[in-house]
Amino acid sequence: MEKANKNLNRIKVILAEKNLQNKWLAEKIGRDQATVSKWATNSTQPSLDMLIKIAKVLEVELTDLVRIPEDD
């Protein structure tokens, strides 16, 4: 089960592609920079509502932020 939860979000990748930093995203969504950092490193996962907000701010589709684990 733990394997399925690893690397679910792609926030770090999208931020890098857009040359943006965690601090910028944190300011845009009203969250602490440390929280965004935890999401970017997959220490924790944002809620679905927060992922939707992040997708809007980053101007990407929600599916661009979430990697669906493949069945093994």
Side-chain angles (χ1 to χ4, degrees), residues 53-66:
K53 190 172 187 177
I54 292 167
K56 286 180 183 178
V57 167
L58 293 176
E59 299 178 340
V60 297
E61 295 293 326
L62 179 60
T63 54
D64 293 335
L65 288 176
V66 180

Side-chain angles (χ1 to χ4, degrees), residues 11-64:
I11 294 171
K12 183 177 182 177
V13 173
I14 302 292
L15 286 171
E17 287 174 355
K18 294 182 172 278
N19 293 317
L20 299 170
Q21 298 179 340
N22 293 351
K23 181 179 179 181
W24 177 88
L25 181 59
E27 290 172 357
K28 292 291 185 183
I29 62 173
R31 291 293 173 122
D32 188 72
Q33 184 177 345
T35 300
V36 174
S37 179
K38 287 178 184 177
W39 294 338
T41 59
N42 287 302
S43 297
T44 62
Q45 297 295 324
S47 66
L48 179 57
D49 288 342
M50 187 54 62
L51 278 172
I52 292 168
K53 190 172 187 177
I54 292 167
K56 286 180 183 178
V57 167
L58 293 176
E59 299 178 340
V60 297
E61 295 293 326
L62 179 60
T63 54
D64 293 335

